[in-house]
Amino acid sequence: MPDAKLSLASFIVELSLAWQKLAIYQEGHRQREQAIERAHALLVLLVAPRGNLAIGVTRDALLGLDEKLTAGGAARLAAALYFLEVGVLRFLEGIEAKELEQLLQLLPRGRA
């Protein structure tokens, strides 16, 4: 992913966009596949240095090691995960794009 800034915030933006596109486009649509691929590419780069990535979940925020993400997509993802009683989201090295898509498909839509 050439021009993307590598950060937890950039990954969460791409993850949120992928989640939205899963609802908008039918399975197999290129927009949907590209969104998952972009989020996955950033995730792979974030996981690589340590072998895993842990993200804390609160009712309205996602937490990294030294940051609290509360803007739009992060807050919506946090609320959906919190509704499912997720406290920590951990990604391990070797995660596949399909697994990321499956995670997003589990998240509730609308107001929790």
Side-chain angles (χ1 to χ4, degrees):
M1 181 159 253
D3 296 325
K5 180 181 175 201
L6 182 59
S7 68
L8 179 58
S10 62
F11 166 63
I12 296 302
V13 166
E14 292 298 332
L15 188 63
S16 177
L17 289 171
W19 185 36
Q20 290 174 352
K21 289 185 180 186
L22 286 178
I24 295 170
Y25 298 104
Q26 62 185 329
E27 192 168 337
H29 194 284
R30 190 66 190 138
Q31 288 291 324
R32 181 179 167 136
E33 292 173 5
Q34 287 175 339
I36 295 294
E37 289 169 6
R38 281 191 302 271
H40 180 255
L42 282 177
L43 178 59
V44 167
L45 293 172
L46 286 170
V47 168
R50 293 191 194 115
N52 71 75
L53 173 68
I55 302 170
V57 178
T58 69
R59 181 174 305 185
D60 59 358
L62 297 174
L63 309 171
L65 286 176
D66 57 355
E67 58 191 316
K68 181 176 182 178
L69 305 172
T70 59
R76 285 187 294 279
L77 282 169
L81 289 162
Y82 187 84
F83 179 77
L84 296 175
E85 299 180 355
V86 173
V88 175
L89 192 56
R90 183 176 305 275
F91 297 102
L92 302 177
E93 193 168 31
I95 186 169
E96 297 178 9
K98 187 66 176 170
E99 293 171 307
L100 191 58
E101 181 178 356
Q102 290 169 343
L103 168 68
L104 293 175
Q105 289 174 333
L106 292 174
L107 299 180
R109 300 227 169 257
R111 297 179 67 163

